[in-house]
Amino acid sequence: MIVGCDKTIPAAVMALVRLNLPGLALYSGTIGPGRYRGKDITLQEVFEAVGAVSAGRMTRDELREIEEGACPGAGACGGQFTANTMATAIEFLGISPTGSNDVPALDPHKDDVAERAGRLVMELIAKDVRPRQIVTRAALENAIASVAATGGSTNGVLHLLAIAREAGVPLTIDDFDRVASRTPVVASLKPGGEYVAKDLHDAGGIPLVLQRLAQGGLINGDAPTVDGRTIAQVAESARETPGQKVVTLLSKPLKPTGGLAILRGNLAPEGCVVKLAGHERLLHRGPARVFDSEEAAFAAVRARQIKAGDVVVIRYEGPVGGPGMREMLGVTGALVGEGLGDSVALITDGRFSGATHGLMVGHIAPEAARGGPIAALRDGDTVEIDVNARELKVELTEAEMMRRMQDWRRPAPRYPAGVFAKYAALVSSASEGAITRPPATLATH
């Protein structure tokens, strides 16, 4: 399975384990870094520049210069955003050939990587090695550790849950909190860090991150890989480039615990995800600014209607409400660009791009379109995000929440017919990976 950006990666692995035919996934590779006035940039800087222009902190000519410089060629987005997060995860998962996924798209060595993958497929067929022999509980925990250790995208939670469901392996969102809590951040990658994916390749690649975690006993070393070695053997074979600064020593981590956490509370009884890759605040309490779509929130941000201390709420963007959980990168990027990234929080039943940073809480479940508590929020309600307590709550009594929900009516679907309507009818909660299931299964759940 040859994969490229974001969702194609987990989709391919889901198909592999569903069919359980000999095979592997090969990532086409990351884009090289863009350049803007002597600095490496990615697509992240484009979205943040939009907000900076709205705030008068940047000119349109500067925005155009960033736009024209951000994407210098082929490949998926260059930070540890969703594509590179999942490319790392599936190599830790063992379903991608070791040392293949960190090779950039336009690196001449990518041809050799692809040929080696083709030969390996034939060996897997000859030996009758099946994907479900590779994608085990131990392997999935290794993949979770890779997301945590690299400050990766919160989308990794959705995607690994969905892969586990297809593989028939029990996995819950609480497993992500448990693994992340014991896993330090050791790779300084954008958006929380300084470097891009090509820099990781030059430093020693994904195997170097694996080696660091193996040194601390933080991975399941006996987990197999498609090239026939165990993960521990792969870790031993890693080669570090002298003087590299991308991957830190385990004794000097960028953060002592991993780049995400799972919160619950009266706004998220089934859980939600917060990204902690950089230097995010761990506590925020402020008034809700409630929007029923991404577009409405973005318009408010561009109109400078969001103030320091606010909690931006974007709802009806979950698996059913979206439908399909759009990414809120336009809103989060604009907030950071306006200089509000350190003083505003955002919560949503939708998703975030891997390029998102700041105190942002996503995947709130149950979602608003299913009558989740986020549907009861009103402008001015006091919302508290307490990462240390693993809690997301609104300061309302249970009786008041119930009273509000008695008046709640499900909005008309954005797509009353067609494939999106079918998807909305079959999709499960984000806390289960937003997988699709037969109607009878959903009804009994």
Side-chain angles (χ1 to χ4, degrees):
M1 305 286 283
I2 300 175
V3 299
C5 190
D6 291 18
K7 320 309 173 277
T8 61
I9 303 172
V13 180
M14 289 168 69
L16 284 170
V17 295
R18 181 188 305 149
L19 298 173
N20 203 31
L21 298 172
L24 55 80
L26 174 64
Y27 177 45
S28 299
T30 183
I31 196 172
R35 297 289 289 175
Y36 174 69
R37 300 186 180 182
K39 294 183 178 180
D40 284 350
I41 61 171
T42 67
L43 195 68
Q44 169 191 340
E45 281 77 10
V46 178
F47 282 89
E48 292 175 4
V50 171
V53 169
S54 295
R57 303 170 67 204
M58 180 179 288
T59 68
R60 287 187 175 275
D61 287 341
E62 289 172 317
L63 169 58
R64 184 176 297 109
E65 189 177 346
I66 290 174
E67 287 178 327
E68 292 175 350
C71 296
C77 293
Q80 194 69 348
F81 310 150
T82 303
N84 287 317
T85 294
M86 293 310 300
T88 304
I90 64 171
E91 197 165 308
F92 266 66
L93 194 61
I95 201 68
S96 275
T98 301
S100 63
N101 286 356
D102 59 72
V103 180
L106 297 182
D107 189 309
H109 182 52
K110 200 70 178 183
D111 290 349
D112 300 327
V113 167
E115 182 175 344
R116 180 163 58 89
R119 294 183 183 278
L120 183 54
V121 166
M122 303 309 294
E123 293 177 16
L124 294 172
I125 294 171
K127 297 176 181 178
D128 196 29
V129 176
R130 306 277 175 151
R132 292 193 186 187
Q133 296 170 242
I134 304 294
V135 181
T136 62
R137 170 70 186 219
L140 284 160
E141 291 203 1
N142 288 343
I144 295 171
S146 80
V147 178
T150 60
S153 170
T154 51
N155 287 318
V157 177
L158 279 175
H159 298 330
L160 290 172
L161 283 171
I163 289 169
R165 294 295 189 282
E166 293 289 359
V169 177
L171 192 72
T172 71
I173 59 170
D174 295 318
D175 292 316
F176 288 80
D177 197 272
R178 178 176 53 80
V179 174
S181 294
R182 72 185 186 212
T183 307
V185 178
V186 296
S188 179
L189 296 168
K190 287 178 178 281
E194 298 182 33
Y195 300 98
V196 297
K198 181 182 181 300
D199 297 324
L200 175 61
H201 170 67
D202 294 340
I206 293 170
L208 180 59
V209 179
L210 187 56
Q211 186 180 78
R212 287 289 196 270
L213 298 187
Q215 289 167 347
L218 299 172
I219 58 164
N220 296 285
D222 294 333
T225 70
V226 286
D227 70 10
R229 294 180 293 171
T230 65
I231 280 290
Q233 290 170 327
V234 170
E236 290 174 3
S237 69
R239 294 293 177 264
E240 181 174 354
T241 301
Q244 66 83 24
K245 298 179 180 180
V246 182
V247 182
T248 66
L249 296 173
L250 207 58
S251 59
K252 299 178 180 179
L254 299 168
K255 284 176 65 70
T257 58
L260 57 88
I262 304 300
L263 313 184
R264 295 183 187 271
N266 66 356
L267 278 178
E270 292 180 9
C272 58
V273 184
V274 60
K275 187 171 182 177
L276 302 168
H279 304 284
E280 293 86 1
R281 291 153 289 146
L282 300 180
L283 178 67
H284 184 97
R285 181 176 177 273
R289 296 296 311 280
V290 182
F291 303 94
D292 287 347
S293 70
E294 178 187 16
E295 289 84 357
F298 186 68
V301 173
R302 293 200 67 176
R304 308 296 304 280
Q305 295 173 358
I306 306 302
K307 307 301 180 185
D310 285 348
V311 178
V312 178
V313 179
I314 307 178
R315 62 190 180 188
Y316 298 107
E317 293 288 7
V320 174
M325 295 187 78
R326 291 187 294 174
E327 294 180 340
M328 304 294 120
L329 179 56
V331 177
T332 60
L335 286 170
V336 171
E338 287 190 9
L340 293 171
D342 294 329
S343 59
V344 168
L346 188 149
I347 69 172
T348 180
D349 53 11
R351 297 181 303 118
F352 295 122
S353 163
T356 294
H357 60 113
L359 186 55
M360 311 289 176
V361 180
H363 309 188
I364 291 174
E367 62 176 291
R370 289 190 186 275
I374 190 174
L377 281 179
R378 295 176 182 172
D379 277 344
D381 288 342
T382 300
V383 174
E384 183 174 278
I385 304 164
D386 188 338
V387 176
N388 287 333
R390 297 295 194 265
E391 190 170 38
L392 172 66
K393 66 181 182 181
V394 59
E395 294 181 2
L396 294 173
T397 65
E398 184 177 353
E400 173 61 15
M401 295 276 281
M402 292 180 65
R403 187 189 67 78
R404 290 186 185 184
M405 290 309 296
Q406 286 175 351
D407 298 329
W408 176 79
R409 298 293 181 269
R410 187 188 308 274
R414 291 173 179 166
Y415 297 91
V419 67
F420 285 148
K422 293 176 183 177
Y423 172 86
L426 297 174
V427 71
S428 71
S429 168
S431 64
E432 298 180 320
I435 57 170
T436 52
R437 294 192 298 222
T441 309
L442 286 167
T444 55
H445 177 64

